[in-house]
Amino acid sequence: MKTWMTWLCACVLALAVWPAAAGTYSQTRYPIVLVHGLLGFDKLGPVEYFYGIPSALRSDGAKVYVVQVAAANSTEVRGEQLLTQVKQILAATGASKVNLMGHSHGGPTSRYVASVRPDLVASVTSIGGVNKGSAVADVLLGVAPPGSLSNTVLVSVTNGLATVINFLSGGSGLTQNALAAAKSLSTAGSAKFNAAYPEGLPTTACGEGAYSARGVAYYSWSGAKPYTNLFDIADPALALTSLAFAGARNDGLVGTCSSHLGRVIRDNYAMNHLDEVNQTIGLVNLFETNPVTIFRQQANRLKNAGL
Ligand code: CA
């Protein structure tokens, strides 16, 4: 009886302590700002771009802001739009810095802000970031090497993807400028951008970058499996766009080496480009760590680093 009572007391105590412990796992010192990629949106209708991620981070104690920048525009233009919103977030919260987490084109967009205003940024986390360009953009622009996927095929595939994203965003009409955006996401366009804003970039073809530059911590992670879920309507399109990489590892839209920035947490999750933000509506690889968990782990990493 005494043993049983002891066990019961221990359980009650554990239940009393557990919520407090779970509630601070993602409690970073500085607010977390989520930055969407190409054709992105913050939240339109019921669907969030970072599907289920802000609420998961908030329930773990993080302050989370989801920004909206131009769906398709140059990295510098998107970066200036992000900088304006970062200043607004700092004014609203009284925080001195933010932790930027950018997906896809959101990676370079975040890097722009960290480069021009390092005093306002504690860290940049690039998720499937287009840091050294994308072969998909090169093909769209007709500057891909011979033998790559045909431009005609890819334009039709990306139009299909745009339709999916347009459906998700409630027919917002944000998907009209895929070709224009491709210019800033091409290998040549990225190289030009990187020459001006080099912080955190690997200096070798596929290594890690500096873990810290001008007081900003740099991290990255990405998937490397274009087709992951039979029920996700986006997967067949990503399987096709992955052919643009001519055999090099990629997540369907971004090559593994291009995703590297600062400390590479992992670059081979069994995820495609949309899985990285828990899309389409939570349809991800059931045999891989859930992307929401990876966002929580990164927040915890920032917290433990005092950021
Ligand atoms: Ca998916």
Side-chain angles (χ1 to χ4, degrees), residues 56-256:
L57 292 172
R58 285 179 188 130
S59 69
D60 275 343
K63 273 203 179 92
V64 182
Y65 292 82
V66 185
V67 296
Q68 171 100 59
V69 295
N73 214 317
S74 74
T75 306
E76 289 89 341
V77 167
R78 285 168 48 103
E80 282 297 325
Q81 293 172 340
L82 174 59
L83 178 57
T84 300
Q85 290 171 74
V86 165
K87 288 175 181 169
Q88 289 166 350
I89 291 163
L90 295 178
T93 58
S96 57
K97 296 181 181 189
V98 293
N99 289 304
L100 298 173
M101 292 188 184
H103 176 244
S104 194
H105 199 182
T109 306
S110 299
R111 287 171 42 212
Y112 173 88
V113 173
S115 185
V116 300
R117 289 300 304 270
D119 55 314
L120 303 183
V121 180
S123 72
V124 171
T125 302
S126 163
I127 299 137
V130 197
N131 293 311
K132 289 187 173 174
S134 166
V136 174
D138 294 343
V139 173
L140 281 171
L141 291 172
V143 295
S148 185
L149 189 65
S150 100
N151 176 274
T152 317
V153 169
L154 194 60
V155 166
S156 100
V157 171
T158 47
N159 283 344
L161 259 186
T163 305
V164 172
I165 293 166
N166 201 37
F167 166 76
L168 283 174
S169 62
S172 66
L174 290 177
T175 58
Q176 306 305 312
N177 297 312
L179 205 56
K183 287 178 185 171
S184 71
L185 295 170
S186 67
T187 302
S190 296
K192 196 174 162 195
F193 176 81
N194 291 344
Y197 312 100
E199 290 86 355
L201 271 182
T203 49
T204 56
C206 202
E208 288 190 302
Y211 286 15
S212 177
R214 299 171 69 203
V216 180
Y218 286 89
Y219 304 85
S220 57
W221 64 268
S222 59
K225 190 172 169 62
Y227 195 101
T228 61
N229 190 312
L230 189 64
F231 298 101
D232 191 331
I233 50 170
D235 280 36
L238 289 171
L240 260 171
T241 52
S242 75
L243 300 176
F245 295 87
R249 274 202 301 150
N250 68 88
D251 67 4
L253 286 175
V254 179
T256 300

